[in-house]
Amino acid sequence: MEQQSSDVTVAKGRQGAFVDARRLHSEDYVAETLRQTAGTLGVAARPKVVDFTERAKERKRASARVIAVRVAVAAGVVAVVTGLVWLLFFSTVFRLESAAISVTGANEWVSEQTIHDIADKQAGKSLFLVSTRDVADQLQDIPGVSEAKVTKRFPKAMNVAVTAQRPAAMLKSGETLTAVDAEGRVLNSVSSQNVDGIPVIEVKDVQASLENRSVKEALIILGALPESMRQQITKVTAETQDSVTTTLDDGERVIVWGDSSQLKLKMAVVDKIINDPKVIGDKHQVDVSAPLKPIIK
């Protein structure tokens, strides 16, 4: 039988022979284990004895450090967010001032002050809190304003540009003239009004006429006409909602529009007829109530 390591207890004898246990070599296994695990420095190489109480304390200290770091990070994030909110919405850096609101497009009928009265309501707010859509909607409610565009200019300014139209017509009741736009809204009253080139509609009562369907149709038509034609209008009649008629140059031309339907087509037909001597000839009246079948008299 082969020679075995001295670290192992081996019974020697013939196979199947009787073994006397009293003659077996006895080992101190504790001492043997310490001997096998001992290194150059002896005890230092022995298995480490774990102190579970100390290990629990170390885990608690590690957990406390992690919590402290998380709290510090959270506090830092809150501080940054708070500072950013204050900067964007409450500081003077982005605060809109009245002096920084510019207005363009006003005229004698839609005054700059009227526009400022609406735009200046946003003064004192952060530009981030100003709703340009709300401002534009309010501006378009001003009689005579057909379009409004509001633009922010960072860090703290705003531009307001409006398209202000002249009155679609003047409603004349007795000696009183009232300017109204194409939507039947009364324009702002201003001194030294220049009414040259503005069509006049004679009515019995201004407020009642604004609810009259025939007057509404006339205002829509007058508001859509090119300025070159409006300058020639000397009289407007609207006995019914489908009989709106304009007289040009004291009767040189009379245009019967009917109502405001197919208005672009009607204007194109009128322009073609009255500007072509071969078509208009010596006639004076053009009826485009039915634009595809105009009548020339």
Side-chain angles (χ1 to χ4, degrees):
M1 184 175 293
E2 296 182 1
Q3 181 66 32
Q4 300 294 323
S5 170
S6 62
D7 293 339
V8 181
T9 301
V10 180
K12 297 181 180 180
R14 297 189 311 275
Q15 184 176 5
F18 175 75
V19 177
D20 186 353
R22 291 173 298 175
R23 299 182 61 184
L24 292 176
H25 177 66
S26 177
E27 290 282 354
D28 184 344
Y29 289 102
V30 174
E32 182 65 18
T33 299
L34 291 176
R35 182 184 65 77
Q36 293 178 6
T37 58
T40 306
L41 300 179
V43 176
R46 294 177 183 176
K48 182 178 179 180
V49 178
V50 178
D51 188 334
F52 290 100
T53 301
E54 185 62 29
R55 177 62 63 85
K57 291 181 180 180
E58 179 61 29
R59 288 178 178 175
K60 289 182 179 179
R61 287 193 292 268
S63 297
R65 286 194 295 271
V66 171
I67 293 173
V69 170
R70 289 178 178 176
V71 170
V73 171
V77 171
V78 170
V80 170
V81 172
T82 301
L84 187 60
V85 169
W86 178 85
L87 175 66
L88 297 180
F89 303 114
F90 301 102
S91 72
T92 59
V93 176
F94 299 102
R95 184 179 298 167
L96 178 64
E97 302 295 343
S98 296
I101 300 176
S102 62
V103 173
T104 58
N107 61 15
E108 60 181 321
W109 301 100
V110 181
S111 69
E112 184 173 323
Q113 183 58 51
T114 300
I115 299 172
H116 263 296
D117 287 343
I118 291 177
D120 287 353
K121 293 178 182 178
Q122 304 300 318
K125 295 181 181 179
S126 166
L127 206 57
F128 289 100
L129 298 177
V130 174
S131 171
T132 55
R133 179 181 293 275
D134 288 346
V135 176
D137 288 345
Q138 293 179 55
L139 291 171
Q140 287 183 322
D141 288 336
I142 299 176
V145 173
S146 57
E147 185 180 8
K149 184 177 181 181
V150 183
T151 307
K152 298 177 182 180
R153 288 195 301 113
F154 285 91
K156 50 183 178 181
M158 184 170 73
N159 288 340
V160 178
V162 302
T163 300
Q165 51 187 283
R166 298 184 70 193
M170 303 293 292
L171 300 184
K172 184 178 180 181
S173 177
E175 297 300 320
T176 303
L177 289 173
T178 302
V180 294
D181 68 4
E183 297 179 29
R185 300 176 300 181
V186 177
L187 273 65
N188 300 326
S189 297
V190 295
S191 60
S192 65
Q193 297 170 341
N194 181 11
V195 298
D196 293 341
I198 301 176
V200 176
I201 304 175
E202 294 190 5
V203 298
K204 293 181 179 180
D205 180 85
V206 173
Q207 292 302 321
S209 67
L210 293 176
E211 299 300 324
N212 187 293
R213 183 63 184 174
S214 60
V215 173
K216 289 182 178 180
E217 288 291 311
L219 291 175
I220 293 173
I221 293 172
L222 294 172
L225 295 180
E227 195 63 29
S228 58
M229 183 177 289
R230 285 167 52 85
Q231 293 285 341
Q232 301 176 60
I233 295 175
T234 53
K235 183 179 180 181
V236 180
T237 59
E239 295 180 1
T240 64
Q241 67 182 45
D242 53 4
S243 65
V244 178
T245 302
T246 58
T247 300
L248 312 181
D249 298 327
D250 294 321
E252 181 65 25
R253 295 281 185 269
V254 176
I255 312 297
V256 180
W257 299 95
D259 58 21
S260 61
S261 63
Q262 297 181 287
L263 191 51
K264 288 185 177 180
L265 176 59
K266 290 178 179 179
M267 289 192 293
V269 172
V270 168
D271 182 68
K272 177 65 176 178
I273 292 175
I274 66 176
N275 290 305
D276 189 340
K278 294 181 180 180
V279 177
I280 190 65
D282 59 353
K283 305 296 191 298
H284 296 280
Q285 179 175 303
V286 179
D287 187 337
V288 288
S289 299
L292 296 179
K293 296 180 179 180
I295 301 173
I296 305 174
K297 297 181 181 179

